[in-house]
Amino acid sequence: GAVVSQHPSRVICKSGTSVKIECRSLDFQATTMFWYRQFPKKSLMLMATSNEGSKATYEQGVEKDKFLINHASLTLSTLTVTSAHPEDSSFYICSASQPQGASWEQFFGPGTRLTVL
Amino acid sequence: DAKTTQPTSMDCAEGRAANLPCNHSTISGNEYVYWYRQIHSQGPQYIIHGLKNNETNEMASLIITEDRKSSTLILPHATLRDTAVYYCIVRPYSGAGSYQLTFGKGTKLSVIP
């Protein structure tokens, strides 16, 4: 159980275009999903926390108008990189949170490799 | 602030035990120690977590010192597929802050044939 998928697994786009990445929890309902970004040879950096039916909470330095997050259902969250530029090229990873007893555990998707030309 | 300190890299011979240390000297009483690993170009994978007792599952063992200021993740018989970056993370088990995971730089474990 606790499987999280992402689509697409990799995408190449031209500078100035927008790209949408989907994150799905396949076998559980996730009230909270998280979006991370990872640059080469760096650690994961949290971008935003997404709660179903409400606005996402963005980390400091992450532009909410550039990285649009929608969490319309308990099994799907989307991240749209608007007007992408080469510096947005990165590995984007989502996670979905599921209660485990009194705690909340995160289960990660396989990631999406974005390359902006 | 990842609140943990890990060696940058380690090597381990295939078939031998891999012992990965982590220092978390400022850990609070309600914080657990979690271990995740990330194989190249994949999402992180949960390994194990513990509070103060040693823990074991099918993947690994976690040894936490009595003062809880450090811990060691043990992979008993490392294989080539265990080559990955291993992250040690402390976080509250519940309540405020329990949702988020703060990743440090981790330890890159290379299992050598």
Side-chain angles (χ1 to χ4, degrees), chain A residues 36 42-46 59, chain B residues 1-7 21-28 31-36 68-69 71 85-92 97 100-107:
Chain A
Y36 296 82
K42 299 293 185 181
S43 190
L44 283 77
M45 295 299 294
L46 179 66
E59 295 300 302
Chain B
D1 180 10
K3 300 182 67 174
T4 62
T5 304
Q6 299 177 252
C22 179
N23 286 323
H24 31 79
S25 58
T26 61
I27 192 169
S28 300
E31 289 182 319
Y32 280 60
V33 180
Y34 281 78
W35 283 84
Y36 285 78
R68 303 211 317 126
K69 293 185 176 182
S71 60
V85 178
Y86 286 77
Y87 296 99
C88 170
I89 300 169
V90 297
R91 53 166 272 206
Q100 295 188 349
L101 293 171
T102 302
F103 287 83
K105 296 181 180 179
T107 297

Side-chain angles (χ1 to χ4, degrees), chain A residues 32 34 38 43-44 46 59 91 93 100 102-106 108-110 113, chain B residues 34 36 38 41-44 49 87 91 93-94 98-101 103-105:
Chain A
T32 304
F34 301 85
Q38 185 175 32
S43 190
L44 283 77
L46 179 66
E59 295 300 302
F91 193 49
I93 304 169
Q100 297 284 319
S103 181
W104 293 80
E105 300 303 336
Q106 286 190 38
F108 289 83
R113 177 80 55 193
Chain B
Y34 281 78
Y36 285 78
Q38 186 179 24
S41 293
Q42 296 183 23
H49 76 277
Y87 296 99
R91 53 166 272 206
Y93 188 67
S94 62
S98 65
Y99 282 83
Q100 295 188 349
L101 293 171
F103 287 83
K105 296 181 180 179

Side-chain angles (χ1 to χ4, degrees), chain A residues 6-11 21 90-92 110-114, chain B residues 41:
Chain A
Q6 281 184 243
H7 178 79
S9 57
R10 57 179 64 232
V11 56
I21 302 170
S90 189
F91 193 49
Y92 291 86
T112 296
R113 177 80 55 193
L114 170 63
Chain B
S41 293

